[in-house]
Amino acid sequence: MSLLVTGSIAIDTVKTPYGVSENCIGGSAVYFSMAASLFSPVRLLGVIGSDCPFDFGEVFAGRSVDLKGLEVREGSKTFRWAGTYHEDINERTTDKLELNVLAEEPPKLPDSFKDSKFIFLANTAPALQLQLLEQVDKASFVAADTMDCWIGGHRRDLESLLKKIDCLIINDEEARLLAGEFNLIKSAEKVLDMGPSVVIIKKGESGSMMCSGGERFILPAFPAAEVKDPTGAGDSFAGGLMGYIAKAGKTDFASLKQAIAYGTVAASFTIADFSVQGLATIKKDDIESRFETLRKLTSF
Amino acid sequence: MSLLVTGSIAIDTVKTPYGVSENCIGGSAVYFSMAASLFSPVRLLGVIGSDCPFDFGEVFAGRSVDLKGLEVREGSKTFRWAGTYHEDINERTTDKLELNVLAEEPPKLPDSFKDSKFIFLANTAPALQLQLLEQVDKASFVAADTMDCWIGGHRRDLESLLKKIDCLIINDEEARLLAGEFNLIKSAEKVLDMGPSVVIIKKGESGSMMCSGGERFILPAFPAAEVKDPTGAGDSFAGGLMGYIAKAGKTDFASLKQAIAYGTVAASFTIADFSVQGLATIKKDDIESRFETLRKLTSF
């Protein structure tokens, strides 16, 4: 079924202990689409400036990513991010952040995207996430991400958003901040009380957990001996997850568990190389094969 | 089959955000025995001073723990530890450490313990761990724990020990320190090169992983909404693990995976209450029931 993502498209410069990747493609909507399109066609809504050097037809060559919602805004500049990952690859410093076109009006949803059934609202101001949702006819399953600055500074908007989505996908620190509670299980339960019927907490190299209606699921990350660049891991996780359920057309707990495993696998390919190279060079078979490995690695 | 543990017996004072437990029973051998005896009879080798206030017959009432190796040394003082856990319950400060009798001669292995087949050497000086091993006739499977001060300061002894044991059970920071490598998978492979055929890395609330002969297993921790006192979690994990394999009499990879799951379950009961209360009040059925829950929580 139709899957829509709205999020950022970025020109990234990333330094890690394994090298430097300058002016490479990045952004939540890009990582999400690259992962989700391994499962299901994706509709991408995003905006770039006229300075953007990437050929998106080429970036998504061989994948079904509908770019009708990609706006190239004349005279504006593309969002840029630069960051450095340290020896402890879980720690990163932001070296530069230029919102540019992301600080302007959001892109307009094409009429042909309005019937989208599965929607992922990548991290941005919750007011913008709400505004996008209002333009969609009737979605089956809406998932959103958020981050510390919105939890702290735009609490009321975020609370309104939480009442209108089905699933919140956030990291552990965000969950603790949102719930005002250190214990992650209790945090998840508190977030469920705020509206969504499913909460999925990403814990980086410690994996992820899901809580929904009294049921729980926990899954380790795929054990990676090579982590070159963790950028986009969370958005690839969401992409694999949403791509799988859009294809399955089901959001029962058992399907969501499988979706999290597929998200975990997608993220594991992302971090093995810089930018989207780890995801761009694989096929669905690679995903299926690693999915089976993950099952074997975790079953007893 | 016969299971021997040698480790500390302590008088602990523990502060956590949930309360204080003064002068309670603790120590690696105690937590280990409490967990392992849910599966298999345990032989305990340890030493206390004549000041020790605990009645060990009562502590282990209803469990098969052979106390012939418990030496009460006249005129000596029992090992004491005091610590505080912070709001982030993964962080702790040691408030007081009095080695006392642990700085004296180790206890003597009773003749009737010399035919022990499964052995756990809890954390202590590697020279003492080696000395104990030399007194045992022919063990089937020897596992050991160690910690940062031995990795840094007694490297040669530790390297000798690693050549004589089958399994090293350590935490993530210790694995990184021992291997001189941040990535945990690579760390595990390097530790395997040092001698043991199995390495098990404990990652606290992130669970554990095992590497052996090219095979890997990863398991999350049991998701706990109530963590009152994490003291002894690692030793209970080792106790559940070794107790299970001593009972099964098998150490193939599939059995070790099950053993890690039982260790995880044992640790989850430990952290739910102060001192050994969480383990002392349960029966084998509680373990089996939570083992099935853990399987359900992690399978997809």
Side-chain angles (χ1 to χ4, degrees):
Chain A
M1 283 201 269
S2 49
L3 171 61
L4 169 68
V5 58
T6 177
S8 65
I9 298 163
I11 304 174
D12 282 351
T13 291
V14 181
K15 290 182 203 161
T16 84
Y18 306 96
V20 180
S21 178
E22 280 184 283
N23 300 322
C24 59
I25 192 164
S28 56
V30 172
Y31 280 104
F32 181 97
S33 299
M34 196 59 92
S37 59
L38 284 159
F39 300 88
S40 166
V42 179
R43 296 166 169 180
L44 190 160
L45 182 71
V47 58
I48 52 178
S50 45
D51 63 337
C52 194
F54 311 120
D55 175 342
F56 286 89
E58 211 172 82
V59 167
F60 294 116
R63 305 286 175 93
S64 179
V65 178
D66 187 337
L67 298 170
K68 267 197 294 296
L70 176 67
E71 184 187 342
V72 185
R73 195 166 295 165
E74 209 51 49
S76 292
K77 282 181 153 180
T78 305
F79 169 51
R80 281 179 183 265
W81 178 78
T84 301
Y85 292 86
H86 304 287
E87 203 209 341
D88 175 348
I89 200 95
N90 304 305
E91 306 222 335
R92 83 173 180 197
T93 313
T94 292
D95 302 321
K96 199 172 69 176
L97 185 77
E98 293 175 6
L99 285 177
N100 295 331
V101 73
L102 293 192
E104 304 170 11
E105 274 299 290
K108 197 178 170 303
L109 188 73
D111 285 344
S112 62
F113 283 10
K114 288 188 175 168
D115 65 351
S116 300
K117 292 299 170 203
F118 291 84
I119 297 172
F120 182 67
L121 308 166
N123 169 49
T124 187
L128 293 182
Q129 292 172 309
L130 276 165
Q131 193 180 315
L132 185 278
L133 260 193
E134 279 160 14
Q135 300 173 59
V136 179
D137 290 339
K138 192 174 173 1
S140 301
F141 190 82
V142 179
D145 188 4
T146 192
M147 69 182 286
D148 50 2
C149 65
W150 314 121
I151 296 169
H154 293 66
R155 184 85 184 192
R156 195 167 294 179
D157 289 344
L158 183 57
E159 285 174 355
S160 301
L161 177 73
L162 289 174
K163 290 189 175 66
K164 298 204 169 159
I165 63 173
D166 300 285
C167 175
L168 186 67
I169 305 177
I170 48 178
N171 73 31
D172 42 5
E173 286 316 308
E174 291 156 359
R176 288 178 169 128
L177 189 64
L178 180 56
E181 161 68 46
F182 183 79
N183 183 284
L184 280 183
I185 300 286
K186 286 186 190 165
S187 296
E189 301 294 341
K190 283 194 178 181
V191 175
L192 289 175
D193 288 342
M194 298 176 193
S197 57
V198 182
V199 59
I200 296 171
I201 300 178
K202 300 171 288 183
K203 301 187 289 174
E205 66 168 357
S206 297
S208 59
M209 53 170 275
M210 169 171 63
C211 293
S212 177
E215 292 203 90
R216 292 170 192 172
F217 176 58
I218 40 174
L219 188 68
F222 191 86
E226 298 290 345
V227 181
K228 273 196 186 161
D229 174 11
T231 311
D235 297 308
S236 307
F237 173 85
L241 191 162
M242 292 293 288
Y244 173 75
I245 60 170
K247 179 185 161 215
K250 293 188 292 188
T251 57
D252 59 287
F253 199 74
S255 301
L256 287 169
K257 293 205 298 186
Q258 300 242 322
I260 286 178
Y262 278 112
T264 299
V265 166
S268 78
F269 283 107
T270 296
I271 64 179
D273 209 339
F274 283 94
S275 185
V276 295
Q277 291 170 53
L279 276 178
T281 50
I282 59 163
K283 304 272 177 216
K284 188 71 199 305
D285 282 355
D286 301 303
I287 292 277
E288 290 301 339
S289 161
R290 191 166 287 186
F291 180 89
E292 285 311 321
T293 304
L294 181 62
R295 199 201 293 273
K296 189 163 167 265
L297 276 168
T298 57
S299 49
F300 59 88
Chain B
M1 284 202 268
S2 50
L3 171 61
L4 169 67
V5 59
T6 176
S8 65
I9 298 163
I11 304 174
D12 281 351
T13 291
V14 181
K15 289 182 204 163
T16 85
Y18 306 96
V20 179
S21 177
E22 279 184 287
N23 300 320
C24 60
I25 193 165
S28 56
V30 172
Y31 281 104
F32 180 98
S33 300
M34 195 60 92
S37 59
L38 284 159
F39 300 88
S40 167
V42 180
R43 295 166 170 180
L44 190 160
L45 181 72
V47 58
I48 52 178
S50 46
D51 62 339
C52 194
F54 311 120
D55 176 342
F56 287 89
E58 211 170 82
V59 167
F60 294 116
R63 306 285 174 94
S64 179
V65 178
D66 187 337
L67 297 170
K68 267 197 293 296
L70 176 68
E71 183 188 341
V72 184
R73 194 166 295 165
E74 208 54 48
S76 293
K77 281 181 155 180
T78 305
F79 170 51
R80 281 178 182 265
W81 178 79
T84 301
Y85 292 85
H86 304 287
E87 201 208 341
D88 175 348
I89 201 95
N90 305 305
E91 305 221 338
R92 83 175 180 196
T93 312
T94 292
D95 302 322
K96 200 172 67 174
L97 185 76
E98 295 175 3
L99 285 177
N100 296 330
V101 74
L102 293 192
E104 303 171 11
E105 276 297 291
K108 198 179 169 300
L109 188 73
D111 286 343
S112 62
F113 283 10
K114 288 187 176 170
D115 64 351
S116 299
K117 291 299 170 204
F118 292 85
I119 297 174
F120 182 67
L121 307 167
N123 170 48
T124 185
L128 293 181
Q129 292 172 309
L130 277 164
Q131 193 179 314
L132 185 279
L133 261 193
E134 280 160 13
Q135 299 173 60
V136 178
D137 290 338
K138 194 177 170 359
S140 302
F141 190 82
V142 179
D145 188 6
T146 192
M147 70 183 285
D148 51 2
C149 64
W150 315 119
I151 296 169
H154 293 65
R155 184 85 184 193
R156 195 166 296 179
D157 288 346
L158 183 57
E159 284 173 356
S160 301
L161 177 73
L162 289 174
K163 290 189 176 64
K164 298 205 169 159
I165 63 173
D166 301 284
C167 175
L168 185 67
I169 305 177
I170 49 178
N171 74 31
D172 42 5
E173 286 315 309
E174 291 155 0
R176 288 179 170 128
L177 189 63
L178 180 55
E181 160 68 45
F182 184 80
N183 182 283
L184 280 183
I185 301 284
K186 288 186 188 166
S187 296
E189 300 295 340
K190 283 194 177 182
V191 175
L192 289 176
D193 287 341
M194 298 176 193
S197 58
V198 181
V199 60
I200 296 170
I201 300 178
K202 301 172 287 184
K203 302 188 289 174
E205 66 168 357
S206 297
S208 58
M209 54 170 275
M210 167 170 62
C211 294
S212 177
E215 292 205 88
R216 293 172 190 170
F217 176 57
I218 39 174
L219 188 69
F222 190 85
E226 298 290 344
V227 180
K228 273 195 186 163
D229 174 11
T231 312
D235 296 307
S236 308
F237 172 85
L241 190 162
M242 292 293 288
Y244 173 75
I245 60 170
K247 179 186 161 215
K250 293 186 294 187
T251 58
D252 58 287
F253 200 74
S255 300
L256 287 169
K257 294 207 296 187
Q258 299 241 322
I260 286 179
Y262 278 113
T264 298
V265 165
S268 78
F269 282 108
T270 296
I271 64 179
D273 208 340
F274 283 94
S275 185
V276 296
Q277 291 170 52
L279 277 178
T281 50
I282 60 164
K283 304 274 177 216
K284 189 69 197 306
D285 284 355
D286 300 303
I287 292 277
E288 291 300 341
S289 161
R290 191 167 288 186
F291 179 89
E292 286 310 321
T293 304
L294 181 62
R295 199 200 294 272
K296 190 162 167 265
L297 276 168
T298 57
S299 49
F300 60 89

